[in-house]
Amino acid sequence: MLPSPLAASMHDATRTITTLRSDAVEVPDLRIVVTPQKGPPIEAPLGVAPLVLGTSAECDVVIPDARVSRRHCQIRLSPRGIVVTDLGSKNGTFINDVLVHEGFLTPRAIASLGGVSLTVRVCGAPVLVPLSTSASFGEALGGSVPMRALFARLERAAATSETILLLGESGTGKEVLARAIHDASPRRGGPFVVLDCSAVAPGLIEAELFGYTRGAFTGAQTARAGLLEEANGGTLFLDELGELPLDLQPKLLRALEARQVRRVGAAAYTSFDARIVAATHRDLQGRVASGAFREDLYYRLAVVEAVVPPLRERKDDIPLLVERFLAAQAPPRSLDDLPPNALELLKGHHWPGNVRELRNTVARLVLFPHLAEQAIVKVAPRVDDMGVGPLAALTLREARDMVVEQFERRFISTKLREHGGNVARAAASMGVSRQLVHRLMDRYGIRSRD
């Protein structure tokens, strides 16, 4: 029996991403439709970037159903069709009632996530997505379609003075991209100033941003310009913007709108001329909906919004990144210096810590080539076992990241075991929020049931 014209067009629309030129791909105009048993359907566009579905607020599509796991499955568009991949969910992912780890969502097929149905709808004609002709943007690397699409968007935005908001998981390289935006902009001759909102005590962020006068508070023995003034003529990168205190957000909005700051303790305003690039791993739209982030500030900063894909969604870029990290070693190394099958192991890992985790893993492989599998999929050797000597071959930042990662993995795993896998109780015993523990568990691939 021949397929109907509608089914045939549906098949063509969902089957392929077509490369038309070296600088563009044609992507079908699709929306995924999730139908919970209670509540209205949930729709989301499916484009070059994959979508992660689950109950976690950090997922691209949040499904409010207890039978769905925190990170249940991923759906992505490939040259052969729509691919659904289970992410280790508790109740499994099914396509037409068949349990799958990975499978194609064909026309008229129905996927099931713990009882919640998932289908795909064709909305219109295919969309032409521009691609960068380069596999790099500044120090950021990526020859995959998602990264080249991101580079094309940022290349175009960098030439303007518009604010840019970078969204993505921890370790995806948002600061590297912010630096690349600055270097590709007309402001490249000016300063590039960084404020990590999560690394400064909430009560001190205002003084850091806006500056202060002498005697404005205890310890203010001299006047000091804030980072908005220091970035004059250049770029201010606000990292982890989602951690900005709510009471400070209207002051930042006012400063950005007026292009003026008033130092703490001062009566007069000072003009500044800095471009703002912000970044966060938080779901800012969700925080706006919950009242934790001001909607007007969000829209002021998200003039250009770009999502940085996690490493697991662009594993074709792993050899390119590994080659870069090896070349940066002292002495420089190449892919030929890796242990046998190491590259295959690297491609098979989930990379919850993204490019940062990959960089640290490559450093471990160089230090301990005989422990290739453990270095990639398990944990680093204990610092007290290996001493400081091997770490001396790394930069301070690389060595510190390796030690912190090892400690956090072991500490969180120990606390979860002590509390029977209960994240809330483990977080309380550590004196931190559940959200932080979940984020670290995602970064290191730790599951409470394990």
Side-chain angles (χ1 to χ4, degrees), residues 168-173 309-313 350-359 443:
E169 297 177 8
S170 297
T172 49
L311 185 57
R312 61 183 170 274
E313 295 177 4
H350 181 62
W351 299 113
N354 293 295
V355 179
R356 181 187 294 120
E357 182 187 0
L358 176 63
R359 184 193 67 208
R443 177 184 298 176

Side-chain angles (χ1 to χ4, degrees), residues 142-146 311-321 347:
S144 60
V145 169
L311 185 57
R312 61 183 170 274
E313 295 177 4
R314 56 182 189 104
K315 289 189 176 181
D316 291 345
D317 291 334
I318 286 178
L320 192 65
L321 291 164
K347 288 182 178 180

